[in-house]
Amino acid sequence: MRIDYHTHHNRCGHAQGTLRDMIEAAIAAGMSQIGLSDHSPLFFKEEDHPTPGMTMAKSEFPNYVAEMIALREEYKGRIDVRLGVESDYIRGWPDAYKEIYAAYPFDYVIGSVHYTDGFHVYSRNRWKQENIDVDETYVQYIRHVQEAAVCGVFDILGHIDAMKGLDVPPTVSLTDLWDETADRIAGADVTVEINTSGLFKPCKAWFPSIDLIERLAGRGVTFTFGSDAHSPGQLLHDWDAVVETLRSVGVRELATFRERRRIMIPLPGKMI
Ligand SMILES: [Zn+2]
Ligand SMILES: [Zn+2]
């Protein structure tokens, strides 16, 4: 039972392969489920397609969903295709985004904080600013993650400590703030993904870090797996290590989603 709930394809403008390529790769890897979750359009902007290299146009969104539905039918019996989207969390916009998603038959919506202070979370320019307050930058980012957790729009929180991606660490301990965040996530009963794409970034670590995984697991938070694959070859990246780590912190199930409802499945491997 191997699953991957965070995948991208060429519609976003910076990933390789089609939806079909991703599904075929998942079948070849013997996966039981594949979650398709390309980036949401920038619904909060005026223009139809403000950032072609970042995400699809607003007008392309219905085509994205229609293609997923058609592929799910075509591949029935060979693999379970789950319909998703990786949504931005934009302060002031959750209700509008919620309404947009409600019009489509999604199985799940991932909520990711990509933008704070006008910069993308993986923007090098953020850290090149003169007088940047690194600690305040982290605090702001984590506050956004807390808001995303409780806003009621998302089934899964994406790469929750992605601000560490470019390996500019805070200068103070943020343990208390992360504890508070873990409390809010547990209270909202939203699932957290173990996103292994950080291994390809300067931080060379998963999102979230193992320390944070422990804090979440201790509060009974549920987890799912997401490689954040931007090409079919990245599917399931570091899956075995994630399963082993989750087992080591007492997790025995993984979260899957169908029609916005969570369905827990056993974590593979021997029961301890
Ligand atoms: Zn993301
Ligand atoms: Zn992603």
Side-chain angles (χ1 to χ4, degrees):
M1 284 288 265
R2 300 199 295 174
I3 62 167
D4 195 332
Y5 264 61
H6 192 146
T7 64
H8 297 282
H9 72 294
N10 54 16
R11 264 193 185 81
C12 68
H14 61 273
Q16 270 89 52
T18 60
L19 288 172
R20 183 183 297 280
D21 293 337
M22 203 54 90
I23 294 168
E24 289 286 349
I27 292 171
M31 290 169 58
S32 55
Q33 289 183 27
I34 175 72
L36 305 172
S37 63
D38 211 7
H39 294 286
S40 57
L42 299 182
F43 292 119
F44 65 99
K45 298 262 192 188
E46 281 286 316
E47 311 93 296
D48 182 51
H49 203 190
T51 54
M54 298 284 279
T55 184
M56 69 183 90
K58 289 185 215 173
S59 56
E60 182 61 17
F61 198 56
N63 302 331
Y64 164 57
V65 178
E67 188 182 346
M68 288 197 293
I69 293 170
L71 289 167
R72 176 178 62 189
E73 298 312 309
E74 182 184 331
Y75 281 91
K76 223 168 225 169
R78 284 188 280 169
I79 190 166
D80 224 336
V81 175
R82 298 287 162 93
L83 278 50
V85 58
E86 181 187 14
S87 175
D88 292 309
Y89 169 76
I90 306 290
R91 200 171 262 174
W93 282 83
D95 290 345
Y97 274 63
K98 188 175 190 170
E99 206 176 305
I100 291 166
Y101 298 141
Y104 298 99
F106 285 115
D107 290 309
Y108 66 99
V109 177
I110 300 173
S112 296
V113 177
H114 289 124
Y115 303 98
T116 56
D117 313 320
F119 288 95
H120 192 275
V121 69
Y122 301 137
S123 167
R124 292 181 187 280
N125 290 336
R126 174 199 301 279
W127 302 117
K128 288 179 189 158
Q129 293 175 98
E130 253 177 77
N131 305 323
I132 180 160
D133 184 332
V134 174
D135 299 328
E136 184 53 27
T137 299
Y138 273 86
V139 169
Q140 277 306 316
Y141 170 78
I142 297 167
R143 292 279 178 224
H144 278 72
V145 172
Q146 292 183 348
E147 292 166 19
V150 302
C151 74
V153 181
F154 309 124
D155 306 295
I156 299 169
L157 293 178
H159 48 66
I160 63 169
D161 61 352
M163 190 54 80
K164 75 182 183 201
L166 293 182
D167 207 23
V168 182
T171 66
V172 296
S173 167
L174 296 174
T175 302
D176 289 350
L177 189 55
W178 278 121
D179 274 334
E180 185 186 301
T181 307
D183 286 341
R184 298 221 181 147
I185 292 170
D189 195 23
V190 60
T191 293
V192 170
E193 67 171 11
I194 311 296
N195 181 315
T196 54
S197 70
L199 295 174
F200 297 116
K201 301 196 188 303
C203 68
K204 297 205 171 11
W206 301 338
F207 308 123
S209 62
I210 292 171
D211 171 64
L212 187 47
I213 292 172
E214 280 177 357
R215 286 168 199 283
L216 294 163
R219 288 166 171 81
V221 171
T222 55
F223 297 94
T224 194
F225 177 87
S227 65
D228 211 342
H230 279 68
S231 67
Q234 292 172 354
L235 271 179
L236 290 176
H237 188 65
D238 223 19
W239 163 266
D240 289 341
V242 169
V243 169
E244 196 177 310
T245 296
L246 287 176
R247 286 206 156 275
S248 75
V249 297
V251 174
R252 293 291 177 267
E253 294 178 307
L254 273 185
T256 68
F257 291 86
R258 176 168 237 155
E259 295 172 355
R260 309 295 306 268
R261 283 197 303 276
R262 185 166 61 208
I263 303 162
M264 301 305 292
I265 62 168
L267 197 63
K270 63 178 176 7
M271 296 300 288
I272 299 165

